[in-house]
Amino acid sequence: MAKIVIAGGEPLNGEVQISGAKNAVLPILCATLLADNAVEIGNVPHLHDVTTTMELLGEMGVQLIVDEKLTITADPSHVTNTVAPYELVKTMRASILVLGPLLARFGHAEVALPGGCAIGSRPVDQHIRGLQALGATVLVEGGFIKASAKRLKGARYVFDMVTVTGTENVMMAATLASGVTVLENCAQEPEVVDLAHCLNAMGARVEGAGTNKITIYGVDRLHGGHYDVLPDRIETGTFLVAGAITGGRVLAKKTRADTMDAVLAKLEEAGAHVNTTVDTIEVDMRGNRPKAVSLTTAPYPAFPTDMQAQFAAMNTIAEGVGVITETIFENRFMHLNELTRLGADVRIEGNTAIIRGVKKMTGAPIMATDLRASASLVLAGLVAEGETTVDRVYHIDRGYENIEEKLGGLGARIRRLPG
Ligand code: UD1
């Protein structure tokens, strides 16, 4: 298996271009199933999860063309298959996002149940109940969610909890329902807003995305068009923490500062000087060691769970004690056990991690367990003295485009060993 080797201990300094958001492009690709003709998607990141989604859509009969700038043209006019097989769903939970679009456009969908994953049990009951509220008949049978409906009907549905892909699935389905759908207790993540903008560019009438109440006026058909995916706030945050953890300076370009308030506030608390424009963010530690920060993850606009591991890594070498509480996923501290191999001082009590910063860590072989956890291990490797080898980096390739090239461009001594 491929590994990443990092010789740590140097402050990073430089500029990095941010890619399109993984969590926006995946639902947007699935949304193309709703259209009558080709949809062109720009600012697509080169990620393993994007390849998996294309494979899934291809399996259904969507014709896909990728140009040299990674613009994807998805033509869903010849879809013949409405089944998402387990082999693909098990490698990427976001495959569940084909459920709503397939059901709404073809009246039928079968999607393998995603099952558990490394960061805890992740049920999809809200996706199912939301679609049932729109009139779908849903059976869970033989490991598959089997949904059918002649035509979905607009309805009001209040989500039991805030779910990002749940909101997206039901919102997509409602675009082709008859009448008006009102969804409440919706996720307000920028990626939900981006998907709504894309759907509207395809002729949908979605209002209120970005608030907890989304209203969808059903239309008879959606058409093709062009849409550029928003920048990735988690990738941005990861590079900014890379600057902060090494006491360096990083300028992230082609990003969106307005989607990152909670993360930037915590970086300032850690002692970073933060400067933003509309599409750039600079973090400068001026050679200083970060101060420990305490935080609690929660749905947007609060601090994102997808940045928790990176800030935990920063706390390991910070001045003071940081207390991190994870409220979204039940088993999302696996990176901390790996970080202790580098010398981190960590105590875990339930969903809280108490991290006492140490003055220095030393490199060691460590192993990635999930996507964001693996990013935090690379960050720790940047600051640990000596060589750190991160194994199982396929997790990182699911969500970070060319991470070693981008970090290398900032001055990191990092290389990939092929598996
Ligand atoms: C999305 C993101 C992921 C991020 C997460 C939380 C994508 C592709 N992935 O994942 O990167 O970490 O949001 O910001 O956008 N839940 C239920 N029943 C449901 C749905 C969710 O109980 O039907 C629970 C989950 O177990 C979890 C919480 O709700 O505890 C939030 O999960 P959710 O927002 O659905 O995460 P994802 O959409 O899977």
Side-chain angles (χ1 to χ4, degrees), residues 22-24 26-27 49 92-97 119-129 159-168 187 189 191 233-234 298-300 304-306 327-330 332 371-372 398:
K22 169 180 96 68
N23 286 353
L26 302 184
D49 275 6
M92 190 190 66
R93 290 184 44 87
S95 312
I96 188 76
L97 287 165
I119 62 175
S121 90
R122 288 169 81 174
V124 289
D125 55 298
Q126 293 303 303
H127 301 236
I128 294 175
R129 288 175 58 185
F159 289 97
D160 285 356
M161 82 278 298
V162 176
T163 155
V164 176
T165 49
T167 301
E168 292 169 343
E189 267 65 3
E191 294 76 19
R233 63 196 166 98
I234 306 301
Y300 190 86
T305 176
D306 286 351
T327 73
I328 308 288
F329 294 115
E330 62 202 27
R332 217 177 191 185
L371 169 53
R372 304 304 168 187
R398 288 189 41 215

Side-chain angles (χ1 to χ4, degrees), residues 16-317:
V16 61
Q17 296 260 352
I18 299 306
S19 302
K22 169 180 96 68
N23 286 353
V25 73
L26 302 184
I28 286 173
L29 278 168
C30 295
T32 63
L33 285 165
L34 291 160
D36 281 353
N37 36 45
V39 185
E40 198 181 79
I41 305 164
N43 200 30
V44 174
H46 184 42
L47 302 175
H48 203 264
D49 275 6
V50 169
T51 315
T52 307
T53 308
M54 288 175 67
E55 220 176 299
L56 184 61
L57 296 179
E59 182 111 348
M60 277 150 195
V62 177
Q63 288 169 354
L64 295 148
I65 302 169
V66 186
D67 75 9
E68 72 286 353
K69 282 163 92 189
L70 270 186
T71 297
I72 296 181
T73 307
D75 183 351
S77 42
H78 303 288
V79 168
T80 47
N81 173 21
T82 55
V83 181
Y86 183 56
E87 289 64 47
L88 288 172
V89 177
K90 75 175 179 204
T91 64
M92 190 190 66
R93 290 184 44 87
S95 312
I96 188 76
L97 287 165
V98 297
L99 181 65
L102 285 175
L103 174 67
R105 175 138 177 261
F106 304 103
H108 175 259
E110 290 187 27
V111 179
L113 270 172
C117 74
I119 62 175
S121 90
R122 288 169 81 174
V124 289
D125 55 298
Q126 293 303 303
H127 301 236
I128 294 175
R129 288 175 58 185
L131 296 174
Q132 283 171 328
L134 300 181
T137 304
V138 185
L139 282 175
V140 178
E141 209 176 57
F144 275 80
I145 305 165
K146 300 180 177 176
S148 56
K150 263 214 174 110
R151 184 174 182 187
L152 295 171
K153 267 207 199 79
R156 175 168 176 262
Y157 182 69
V158 184
F159 289 97
D160 285 356
M161 82 278 298
V162 176
T163 155
V164 176
T165 49
T167 301
E168 292 169 343
N169 231 342
V170 184
M171 176 171 86
M172 287 191 281
T175 59
L176 290 181
S178 63
V180 183
T181 299
V182 179
L183 303 178
E184 292 186 50
N185 197 25
C186 292
Q188 302 175 43
E189 267 65 3
E191 294 76 19
V192 175
V193 179
D194 208 43
L195 173 63
H197 286 160
C198 174
L199 291 168
N200 287 344
M202 292 159 63
R205 289 183 58 208
V206 179
E207 289 177 7
T211 72
N212 61 7
K213 182 173 168 184
I214 301 179
T215 306
I216 304 118
Y217 300 88
V219 296
D220 290 336
R221 56 178 294 267
L222 296 186
H223 50 71
H226 177 94
Y227 193 76
D228 288 323
V229 176
L230 103 158
D232 197 312
R233 63 196 166 98
I234 306 301
E235 188 200 19
T236 306
T238 303
F239 284 110
L240 297 178
V241 173
I245 199 171
T246 59
R249 183 196 74 95
V250 166
L251 175 67
K253 294 174 102 171
K254 275 184 72 183
T255 186
R256 277 260 308 266
D258 64 326
T259 61
M260 300 204 46
D261 289 351
V263 168
L264 297 184
K266 286 293 165 189
L267 281 165
E268 281 185 326
E269 210 179 304
H273 299 266
V274 178
N275 282 306
T276 61
T277 67
V278 181
D279 63 354
T280 68
I281 305 174
E282 183 193 51
V283 158
D284 192 350
M285 288 301 283
R286 301 184 183 165
N288 293 318
R289 180 180 171 198
K291 296 192 208 49
V293 290
S294 293
L295 57 92
T296 300
T297 64
Y300 190 86
F303 192 91
T305 176
D306 286 351
M307 282 302 300
Q308 179 259 103
Q310 299 87 321
F311 273 73
M314 187 166 73
N315 277 344
T316 60
I317 52 91

